[in-house]
Amino acid sequence: MRVVVIGTGPAGITAAETLRNLDPSGSVVVLSSEPFPPYSPPAMADHFLSGREQTLFWKGEDISDRLGIKERRDVVVEAVDVDNKEVVLSGGERIGYEGLVIASGSRLYAPIDGAEYPGVLNFKSLRTAEALVERVRSGEARNALIVGSGFIGTELAILLTDLGVEVKMVERLSWVMPRVLDSQTAEIAEKALVERGVRLQFGALVTQFVGDPRKPAVRFENGEEESADLVVAATGVKPHVEFLDGSGVAVNWGIQVDDRMFTSVPSVVAAGDVAEAADWLTGERYVHAIFPNAVVQGRLAAMNLLGIESRYEGAEAMNSLKHLGVPIVAMGTMSNPDETVSFRSDDALRTIYLRDGRIIGVQLAGDISSAGLYRSLMLRRTNVEHFRNELADPSFEVARLVFAAPSEMVA
Ligand SMILES: Cc1cc2nc3c(=O)[nH]c(=O)nc-3n(C[C@H](O)[C@H](O)[C@H](O)COP(=O)(O)OP(=O)(O)OC[C@H]3O[C@@H](n4cnc5c(N)ncnc54)[C@H](O)[C@@H]3O)c2cc1C
């Protein structure tokens, strides 16, 4: 099969690798709007700190040569013509396909006036991250104002303080990473951030980016302005779907896919941050923008495109913070539990969210050694009713109980 893959992020390059392995006589063309080999965004911070390239270019810089696929960098897909089965590049070049994988990922989402302003930086792609770090390395930037305290904002705050920049992070809600952490777990993250020198301001709604590109600023809801050498938007991510306007590929927030990753158009699959897949636990369809989901979806999308039927069991919601100084893992959901169980010691906090006797979410800070066990209980939908009170206790031998009597507990 002749396949075009839009995107060489974790989803796109995994799809390409799968296509090559399962269909050695087919042809694969992968397209990236960036000038780099396929890279891993989670490894960017470490790359800028340590200079290491191995984890950044996680498949090896020569992956396309090794696979025998055609990789084109710095090309932008502007449209998909599904009637003629062609992708259209900016400049007008058309590339025909028999099968199409859309793995165009996500970009910064900053619904704030002036966000497109050249002085507003972001850490979403390697290209934008390089531009940002270059301002620090050249000595131009000694302080930074990060708008948004999600995982990307927090990771960047850590990187910039490690690079010697004074960082202030402003958040419109009341604690850091509010979409994935509960307030108590966030408190532990905040303490670690403050200890590293990051200044935090909550309840601060930025309504506008203003100022000169060399001295940008933000305006808050109350009319006050604050400037910094670096002003960074870290307000969220949005699927890269603009080039699909008018194509017939059904898009909600992300591309709508079925459980084989097929879009509404035959021969077109989608995977990764661009796709709206079902949640493993709740079945709810939304974009689960994390690396492991992108890899699994990329593989499945490629298999199904080749006619090897493989159904997606659902995406996981899971985030971990590695560089904070205190390990933190958040998985599942915190919404509508009928009960929570928690355990706190001087240096650790575990909170388990339960609904109908099953784990729906877990937050661990300080000690994350049981993350795999909780994840397994959650994904297997194990009924934990009769040991729920001990569930968060680190000395409790959940593993022994679960694996000794699975039939009793797994409904
Ligand atoms: C700083 C940072 C830290 C992160 N940390 C973690 C973490 O710790 N754990 C975790 O699980 N996840 C993390 N993530 C999220 C994870 O990186 C993403 O979920 C993952 O990269 C999604 O892969 P993808 O292939 O779907 O999209 P992307 O990685 O976004 O790749 C999209 C690709 O599409 C290309 N593209 C887009 N539009 C076009 C176009 N029109 N024409 C041609 N090419 C196009 C881009 O050039 C790129 O190659 C992090 C993300 C960032 C930014």
Side-chain angles (χ1 to χ4, degrees), residues 48-69:
F48 289 119
L49 264 183
S50 68
R52 259 194 296 270
E53 299 218 316
Q54 213 176 345
T55 44
L56 182 67
F57 301 122
W58 63 302
K59 292 284 183 184
E61 294 191 48
D62 59 347
I63 175 71
S64 297
D65 290 343
R66 281 190 284 115
L67 290 175
I69 63 177

Side-chain angles (χ1 to χ4, degrees), residues 388-406:
R388 68 178 184 286
N389 293 334
E390 295 86 3
L391 203 55
D393 186 329
S395 64
F396 183 60
E397 289 182 73
V398 183
R400 187 180 54 76
L401 277 173
V402 171
F403 295 114

Side-chain angles (χ1 to χ4, degrees), residues 7-11 32-33 41-42 75 77 103-106 124 272-273 289-292 322:
T8 62
S32 172
S33 52
V75 290
V77 174
S104 47
S106 55
K124 179 61 190 77
D273 281 11
I290 60 167
F291 189 101
K322 298 167 284 287

Side-chain angles (χ1 to χ4, degrees), residues 25-148:
S25 61
S27 83
V28 182
V29 178
V30 295
L31 308 170
S32 172
S33 52
E34 290 187 81
F36 313 106
Y39 66 88
S40 161
M44 291 194 304
D46 172 70
H47 164 71
F48 289 119
L49 264 183
S50 68
R52 259 194 296 270
E53 299 218 316
Q54 213 176 345
T55 44
L56 182 67
F57 301 122
W58 63 302
K59 292 284 183 184
E61 294 191 48
D62 59 347
I63 175 71
S64 297
D65 290 343
R66 281 190 284 115
L67 290 175
I69 63 177
K70 185 166 183 190
E71 182 188 337
R72 293 186 56 184
R73 298 179 190 160
D74 232 345
V75 290
V76 176
V77 174
E78 269 196 353
V80 175
D81 175 350
V82 302
D83 296 331
N84 293 306
K85 290 196 162 180
E86 290 173 335
V87 299
V88 185
L89 303 186
S90 59
E93 185 187 345
R94 289 174 166 257
I95 306 174
Y97 64 80
E98 290 166 339
L100 176 65
V101 181
I102 306 175
S104 47
S106 55
R107 61 175 172 77
L108 168 72
Y109 176 60
I112 298 174
D113 279 354
E116 67 297 341
Y117 180 69
V120 182
L121 306 175
N122 73 77
F123 198 65
K124 179 61 190 77
S125 68
L126 187 52
R127 194 199 294 261
T128 57
E130 273 196 344
L132 192 159
V133 172
E134 182 46 36
R135 297 277 304 276
V136 177
R137 297 236 156 98
S138 67
E140 281 174 66
R142 288 162 198 265
N143 56 59
L145 184 65
I146 301 176
V147 180

